[in-house]
């Protein structure tokens, strides 16, 4: 460059070297922890000592589809069984947008404030295309997640029909063994999960919102018959009067249904997860229900029926898994799929061929 020439303004100068995006020391710690997997007994001891980290690692084993983890998970569950069945289980469902996560945070904070230990099992929908899940419930419940007496575990629904995680039932056992006396199960609210949730909880709560046509659904059976209580959420601001009207309509509809075996008469109420108005009343309603079913022994009978149901469900799951992993079925399945697609054989005949091959 000539002495009199000026340096271009576009000339770059040496900058600061970028900081590594991953800490080498942290990476080494994580890798070391992964290499040192705790034994089943260590996880059992941790769960019984109310260690949330041990509980989370055990739940991961239970949810794993890796066959190597199955035996270890079963050992943990079996050891935790004597310490389970000492909680009250609440199922909460509602359409997307009804405010389930916000309600659960407000409800959970109320429970911990009166001395309860709360575990929230939030089932997140899995994409049928990418098979991924957001698992963002901890982000939505930012206050509850920091509560020492609360534990939030989001799980992907996976391929389970209706949005209840495949291993939710076993996860409940582990949470109870860890000392949580109130278990809340949140479903994805896709319309098919209610039956599965109802079969694993003691109290079934249906969340609704006003002004969305939900009042007309009150005269329909199914989900309404399963609900032990209906709560119209978001009853605040300009929506208070609409929520009160919806409450009246739902109370009228509930009287059209036959009496429940529990002897409980479901009711509708309003609440605001934002202002916390009505949240304590929801727990009072649940407590009244618990007192009733404990007195008339319906609580114990329902738990026994649920155990039988899940025994049969486990058998069905295992039979299905054995069928599709059978070497002969793996070989014949694709052939029969193509034959059905080409109209060379009916779906029913193809199914019978595969079943015959499996039972040989």
């Amino acid at each position: 460059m000539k002495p009199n020439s000026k340096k271009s303004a576009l000339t770059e100068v040496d900058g600061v070297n970028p900081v590594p995006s991953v800490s080498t020391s942290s990476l080494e710690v994580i890798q070391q922890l992964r290499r040192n997997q705790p034994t089943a007994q260590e996880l059992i001891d941790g769960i019984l000592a109310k260690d949330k980290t041990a509980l989370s690692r055990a739940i991961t084993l239970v949810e794993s589809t890796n066959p190597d983890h199955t035996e270890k998970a079963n050992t943990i569950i079996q050891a935790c069984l004597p310490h389970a069945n000492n909680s009250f289980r609440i199922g909460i469902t509602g359409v997307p947008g009804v405010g389930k996560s916000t309600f659960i945070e407000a409800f959970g904070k109320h429970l911990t404030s009166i001395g309860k230990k709360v575990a929230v099992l939030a089932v997140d929908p899995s994409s049928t295309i990418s098979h991924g899940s957001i698992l963002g419930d901890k982000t939505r419940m930012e206050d509850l997640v920091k509560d020492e007496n609360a534990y939030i575990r989001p799980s992907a629904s996976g391929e389970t029909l209706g949005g209840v995680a495949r291993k939710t039932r076993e996860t409940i056992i582990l949470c109870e063994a860890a000392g949580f006396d109130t278990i809340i199960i949140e479903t994805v609210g896709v319309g098919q999960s209610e039956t599965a949730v109802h079969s694993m909880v003691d109290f079934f709560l249906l969340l609704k919102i006003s002004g969305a046509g939900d009042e007309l659904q009150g005269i329909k059976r199914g989900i309404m018959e399963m609900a032990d209580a209906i709560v119209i959420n978001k009853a605040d601001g300009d929506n208070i009067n609409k929520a009160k009207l919806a409450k009246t309509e739902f109370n009228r509809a509930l009287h059209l249904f036959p009496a429940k075996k529990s002897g409980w008469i479901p009711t509708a109420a309003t609440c605001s997860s934002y202002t916390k108005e009505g949240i304590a009343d929801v727990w009072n309603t649940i407590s009244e229900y618990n007192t009733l079913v404990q007195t008339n022994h319906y609580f114990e009978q329902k738990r026994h029926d649920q155990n039988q149901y899940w025994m049969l469900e486990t058998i069905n799951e295992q039979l299905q898994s054995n069928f599709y992993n059978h070497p002969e079925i793996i070989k014949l399945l694709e052939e029969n799929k193509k034959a059905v697609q080409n109209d060379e054989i009916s779906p029913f005949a193809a199914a019978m061929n595969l079943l015959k091959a499996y039972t040989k």
Side-chain angles (χ1 to χ4, degrees):
M1 182 181 292
K2 296 180 180 179
N4 295 331
S5 62
K6 293 183 179 180
K7 192 174 182 180
S8 172
L10 299 178
T11 302
E12 292 185 3
V13 296
D14 294 335
V16 179
N17 292 329
V19 179
S21 57
V22 178
S23 168
T24 306
S25 59
S26 298
L27 186 60
E28 289 176 355
V29 172
I30 293 172
Q31 290 174 338
Q32 186 64 32
L33 287 173
R34 288 180 176 175
R35 281 193 292 267
N36 299 330
Q37 291 294 328
T39 64
Q41 189 57 52
E42 287 174 338
L43 290 177
I44 293 166
D45 293 340
I47 291 171
L48 298 181
K50 301 176 175 52
D51 182 356
K52 292 182 182 179
T53 301
L55 175 60
S56 295
R57 300 188 79 163
I59 293 174
T60 300
L61 281 176
V62 168
E63 293 178 343
S64 173
T65 56
N66 187 336
D68 296 337
H69 295 162
T70 303
E71 185 177 353
K72 190 175 181 180
N74 288 338
T75 301
I76 296 170
I77 293 170
Q78 196 62 34
C80 289
L81 268 176
H83 307 276
N85 297 310
N86 51 8
S87 75
F88 192 80
R89 306 164 185 171
I90 305 168
I92 297 179
T93 191
V95 296
V98 76
K100 292 189 292 294
S101 297
T102 310
F103 170 82
I104 289 173
E105 177 169 50
F107 185 57
K109 289 295 291 182
H110 172 72
L111 293 180
T112 58
S113 71
I114 59 175
K116 298 291 183 181
K117 294 199 66 177
V118 182
V120 179
L121 308 180
V123 184
D124 222 29
S126 297
S127 168
T128 56
I129 300 173
S130 66
H131 305 291
S133 296
I134 298 175
L135 302 178
D137 294 276
K138 282 192 173 184
T139 303
R140 297 190 191 102
M141 306 178 196
E142 55 182 335
D143 290 331
L144 188 61
V145 75
K146 293 180 286 189
D147 197 312
E148 291 184 0
N149 292 318
Y151 173 76
I152 302 174
R153 174 71 184 204
S155 299
S157 63
E159 298 178 357
T160 307
L161 179 65
V164 181
R166 182 173 58 92
K167 296 295 184 179
T168 302
R169 184 68 175 79
E170 288 85 349
T171 302
I172 291 173
I173 294 171
L174 299 184
C175 289
E176 289 175 340
F180 292 98
D181 53 34
T182 308
I183 312 293
I184 298 174
I185 303 174
E186 176 197 358
T187 76
V188 298
V190 295
Q192 295 172 318
S193 58
E194 287 77 16
T195 300
V197 173
H198 189 260
S199 66
M200 64 176 75
V201 298
D202 305 309
F203 189 92
F204 190 60
L205 180 65
L206 175 62
L207 286 182
K208 292 280 191 178
I209 50 175
S210 62
D214 277 348
E215 292 85 348
L216 295 176
Q217 304 301 322
I219 60 175
K220 294 185 177 180
R221 296 183 180 273
I223 176 64
M224 292 287 294
E225 288 185 320
M226 287 187 286
D228 294 306
I230 297 173
V231 174
I232 295 88
N233 194 21
K234 302 184 180 181
D236 46 49
D238 297 335
N239 207 36
I240 293 178
N241 291 332
K242 291 180 181 178
K244 289 180 178 178
L245 178 61
K247 170 187 171 181
T248 303
E249 294 294 332
F250 280 120
N251 274 322
R252 287 174 182 169
L254 287 169
H255 284 91
L256 300 176
F257 299 131
K260 288 181 172 288
K261 293 180 181 179
S262 62
W264 174 255
I265 301 175
T267 58
T270 62
C271 82
S272 169
S273 303
Y274 178 70
T275 65
K276 311 299 186 294
E277 187 73 27
I279 295 294
D281 294 333
V282 174
W283 175 245
N284 291 337
T285 299
I286 295 174
S287 298
E288 290 174 12
Y289 171 88
N290 190 25
T291 300
L292 173 67
V293 295
Q294 293 283 0
T295 303
N296 62 19
H297 305 295
Y298 177 78
F299 181 91
E300 185 179 2
Q301 182 58 49
K302 186 177 182 181
R303 284 284 181 97
H304 291 163
D305 292 342
Q306 289 177 347
N307 289 339
Q308 290 182 7
Y309 172 83
W310 283 102
M311 178 191 73
L312 298 176
E313 283 295 299
T314 303
I315 292 172
N316 292 337
E317 279 188 14
Q318 192 59 53
L319 287 174
Q320 183 177 354
S321 176
N322 291 345
F323 177 81
Y324 284 110
N325 289 295
H326 192 279
E328 190 68 18
I329 298 303
I330 294 173
K331 183 174 67 175
L332 295 176
L333 187 59
E334 289 304 318
E335 296 176 11
N336 281 270
K337 280 183 178 179
K338 290 178 181 178
V340 169
Q341 288 175 345
N342 296 329
D343 292 325
E344 297 171 1
I345 187 174
S346 74
F348 309 102
M352 292 306 299
N353 291 341
L354 290 167
L355 288 170
K356 286 179 181 177
Y358 177 70
T359 55
K360 279 183 179 179

